[in-house]
């Protein structure tokens, strides 16, 4: 039996890696602190411009805006699985009936299986913590004392890691029901969200949505027509690199803003045995890789009559109890995933009740680049009568459609303008 913690830590690191979409792409691993507390450093994006200065002045001080460092006591994740003598005496799964393996032969194998199972459970918890930050701006953690309490949701100590002040302002609300929007209006909403982030100094590159949102868009013929008419280059995505439950829908050009679209439908089994999604149905989020990080605190437990501390992402431990004739395989982790910019993303839900326009002043932005009163719209026949690409593009920009290029065929440009005009200015 191997029970040296340092050896077990090395063994866990060599286990087959588990791909975690939110954790790996948006909250990659950072520092591990030799402390019960973890240091998190957040800031707000800004778009300040440097001043012109009279040479003799020597320079003008620019203040650093929105930076905050805070020490947080890390949460404690600690599953364990017992190994009994009776379990070791039984034939293992897949083992031949006439096998001559002894209980001692099976012990290391079962220990490794238990460690791998708990490691994956811990990593799923890491993933859910990251998803919670994106959808709610905080992580609610129920700390239980017993497995029975955890299964029944009773007698827990609630702790909350909150990454906003007073109000979560990264939740975007639509002013119109998603189901009643045209394809053009849905694209305009996505553009509005990206514009809000742009004003905050953030460039969103990813659209992450649940399966129902993806199905809504990918079965909308008008959306697909728009998608095709602008000749979006979907690029090359190696599906083997994506974790289970994640699919890439290609790239989308929304008024010159390029997004990679992902569908995320992974689920987990909760402590009470029910299955739940990592992302609530109807979720659509604008994110960017590396928007956060995950730091860890050390794990401390008694060993050989004294306390020992280990600063690692996951710390395994094997404890023998001769009196109870049992071995416990334990795993510990103390993660703190957090966003680097607390205003650095937006999330919406297509199932939410639309809000009145006056209720969402904080996340509304005027993105209407269409014509003002007095601009005359051309008829379909007049548009088709245009003989140069430049003329079609100039007219398109005059009515608020940007992003068209001369790489498209003349007929494609004309069709795109007609479609946009019908969608945007129809009575």
């Amino acid at each position: 039996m191997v029970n040296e913690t340092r050896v077990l830590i090395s063994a866990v690191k060599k286990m087959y890696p588990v791909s975690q979409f939110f954790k790996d792409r948006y909250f990659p691993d950072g520092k591990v602190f030799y402390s019960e507390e973890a240091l998190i450093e957040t800031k707000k994006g800004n778009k300040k411009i440097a001043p012109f200065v009279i040479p003799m002045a020597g320079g003008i001080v620019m203040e650093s805006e929105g930076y905050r460092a805070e020490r947080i006591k890390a949460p404690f994740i600690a599953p364990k699985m017992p190994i009994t003598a009776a379990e070791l005496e039984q034939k293992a799964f897949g083992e031949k009936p006439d096998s001559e393996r002894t209980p001692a032969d099976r012990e290391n194998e079962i220990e490794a299986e238990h460690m791998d199972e708990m490691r994956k459970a811990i990593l799923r918890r890491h993933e859910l913590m990251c998803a919670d930050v994106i959808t709610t701006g905080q992580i609610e953690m129920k700390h239980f004392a017993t497995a029975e309490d955890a299964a029944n949701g009773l007698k827990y100590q609630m702790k909350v890691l909150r990454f906003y002040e007073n109000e979560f302002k990264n939740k975007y609300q639509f002013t119109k029901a998603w189901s009643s929007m045209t394809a053009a209006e849905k694209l305009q909403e996505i553009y509005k969200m990206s514009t809000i982030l742009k004003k905050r100094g953030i460039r969103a590159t990813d659209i992450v949505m649940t399966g129902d949102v993806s199905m809504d868009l990918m079965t909308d013929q008008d959306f697909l027509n728009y998608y095709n008419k602008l000749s979006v280059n979907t690029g090359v995505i190696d599906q083997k690199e994506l974790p289970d439950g994640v699919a890439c829908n290609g790239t989308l050009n929304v008024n010159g803003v390029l997004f990679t679209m992902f569908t995320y439908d992974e689920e987990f089994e909760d402590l009470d045995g029910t299955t739940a999604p990592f992302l609530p149905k109807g979720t659509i989020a604008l994110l960017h890789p590396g928007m956060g990080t995950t730091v860890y605190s050390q794990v401390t437990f008694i060993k050989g009559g004294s306390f020992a501390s280990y600063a690692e992402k996951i710390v395994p431990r094997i404890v023998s109890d001769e009196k109870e004739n049992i071995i416990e395989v334990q795993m510990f982790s103390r993660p703190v995933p957090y966003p680097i910019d607390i205003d650095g993303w937006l999330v919406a839900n297509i199932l939410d009740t639309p809000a009145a326009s006056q209720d969402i002043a904080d996340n509304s932005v005027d993105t209407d680049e269409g014509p003002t009163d007095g601009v005359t719209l051309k008829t379909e026949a007049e548009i088709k009568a245009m003989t140069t690409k430049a003329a079609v593009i100039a007219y398109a920009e005059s009515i608020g459609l940007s992003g068209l290029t001369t790489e498209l065929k003349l007929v494609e440009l004309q069709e795109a303008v007609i479609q946009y005009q019908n969608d945007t200015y129809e009575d």
Side-chain angles (χ1 to χ4, degrees):
M1 177 181 69
V2 178
N3 58 12
E4 175 57 44
T5 299
R6 288 293 178 191
V7 176
L8 295 174
I9 289 173
S10 297
V12 169
K13 288 181 177 179
K14 293 176 182 178
M15 287 181 175
Y16 188 79
V18 176
S19 187
Q20 303 164 274
F21 181 66
F22 280 122
K23 169 70 170 49
D24 295 341
R25 187 170 180 84
Y26 305 113
F27 298 86
D29 286 339
K31 296 179 180 179
V32 183
F33 294 93
Y34 264 109
S35 169
E36 294 292 306
E37 297 178 323
L39 177 67
I40 67 172
E41 299 173 288
T42 59
K43 63 180 180 179
K44 290 187 177 182
N46 66 72
K47 301 178 68 175
K48 289 183 177 180
I49 192 169
F52 291 107
V53 179
I54 298 173
M56 290 185 298
I60 293 178
V61 174
M62 291 185 67
E63 295 183 358
S64 178
E65 185 177 349
Y67 172 80
R68 183 176 67 181
E70 186 177 357
R71 302 195 71 86
I72 291 180
K73 190 171 184 179
F76 204 73
I77 301 172
K80 63 182 180 180
M81 298 181 73
I83 301 176
T84 64
E87 183 179 1
L88 294 177
E89 290 170 354
Q90 296 175 1
K91 180 182 74 71
F93 178 78
E95 186 178 331
K96 294 181 180 180
D98 57 351
S99 171
E100 297 181 356
R101 299 178 70 205
T102 65
D105 295 330
R106 298 188 183 110
E107 183 181 339
N108 286 339
E109 182 178 330
I110 294 176
E111 286 176 359
E113 290 175 353
H114 285 355
M115 281 195 295
D116 191 42
E117 185 174 344
M118 289 188 290
R119 175 184 69 106
K120 291 176 180 177
I122 288 173
L123 295 180
R124 280 191 287 271
R125 173 61 71 181
H126 291 178
E127 181 80 345
L128 182 58
M129 293 172 77
C130 296
D132 286 345
V133 171
I134 290 171
T135 55
T136 66
Q138 64 182 23
I139 306 170
E140 292 186 354
M141 302 167 293
K142 297 178 180 179
H143 289 68
F144 297 94
T146 68
E148 183 179 358
D149 288 342
N152 296 318
L154 301 172
K155 300 178 182 178
Y156 57 82
Q157 183 181 34
M158 175 67 81
K159 295 184 179 180
V160 180
L161 292 178
R162 183 171 290 122
F163 302 105
Y164 60 86
E165 298 175 356
N166 302 321
E167 181 184 359
F168 181 49
K169 294 187 177 181
N170 294 355
K171 181 67 181 289
Y172 181 86
Q173 291 181 282
F174 305 117
T175 55
K176 183 177 181 181
W178 180 269
S179 59
S180 65
M181 293 184 195
T182 64
E185 288 173 329
K186 292 173 183 177
L187 289 167
Q188 287 171 5
E189 289 297 321
I190 294 174
Y191 182 62
K192 286 179 183 179
M193 293 173 72
S194 71
T195 303
I196 292 169
L197 292 176
K198 185 177 180 181
K199 288 179 177 289
R200 296 179 181 180
I202 301 297
R203 180 179 177 272
T205 61
D206 294 356
I207 298 175
V208 179
M209 49 194 168
T210 48
D212 54 339
V213 181
S214 176
M215 183 62 70
D216 176 82
L217 291 176
M218 297 304 166
T219 58
D220 187 328
Q221 191 59 47
D222 290 336
F223 175 82
L224 295 178
N225 286 341
Y226 175 90
Y227 193 87
N228 293 333
K229 282 188 175 66
L230 292 188
S231 296
V232 177
N233 180 5
T234 59
V236 178
I237 300 294
D238 186 349
Q239 296 289 349
K240 296 189 297 295
E241 294 183 358
L242 296 177
D244 292 340
V246 183
C248 181
N249 302 97
T251 55
L252 178 67
N253 184 333
V254 183
N255 199 26
V257 182
L258 289 176
F259 296 100
T260 302
M261 297 187 296
F262 294 98
T263 300
Y264 186 88
D265 259 347
E266 184 68 344
E267 296 180 331
F268 64 94
E269 183 179 327
D270 211 342
L271 298 176
D272 60 2
T274 61
T275 300
F278 282 95
L279 282 184
K281 286 187 176 182
T283 298
I284 179 169
L286 266 61
L287 314 171
H288 59 95
M291 56 177 274
T293 188
T294 303
V295 294
Y296 301 85
S297 289
Q298 70 180 15
V299 173
T300 301
F301 49 73
I302 194 166
K303 179 181 178 182
S306 60
F307 286 96
S309 297
Y310 301 90
E312 298 287 348
K313 175 179 176 180
I314 296 177
V315 180
R317 182 191 189 196
I318 294 179
V319 179
S320 302
D321 188 333
E322 296 182 6
K323 183 178 180 180
E324 297 293 334
N325 199 29
I326 194 173
I327 293 174
E328 277 191 351
V329 183
Q330 305 172 347
M331 300 281 272
F332 303 88
S333 184
R334 306 195 66 181
V336 181
Y338 69 92
I340 296 173
D341 189 332
I342 60 175
D343 295 328
W345 75 98
L346 280 179
V347 61
N349 196 297
I350 68 171
L351 304 178
D352 286 349
T353 302
S357 58
Q358 65 266 24
D359 294 333
I360 57 171
D362 288 339
N363 71 6
S364 291
V365 61
D366 183 10
T367 58
D368 182 8
E369 299 176 1
T372 58
D373 293 339
V375 175
T376 303
L377 298 175
K378 295 183 182 294
T379 64
E380 183 174 333
E382 289 174 326
I383 295 172
K384 289 184 176 180
M386 294 181 179
T387 57
T388 66
K389 295 180 180 181
V392 177
I393 292 173
Y395 173 68
E397 292 177 347
S398 74
I399 64 172
L401 174 59
S402 59
L404 299 181
T405 70
T406 55
E407 294 178 359
L408 300 176
K409 296 178 181 179
L410 178 60
V411 66
E412 292 176 331
L413 291 170
Q414 293 168 337
E415 290 177 354
V417 172
I418 292 170
Q419 182 68 46
Y420 174 83
Q421 186 167 286
N422 290 339
D423 290 340
T424 306
Y425 301 103
E426 61 183 0
D427 295 330

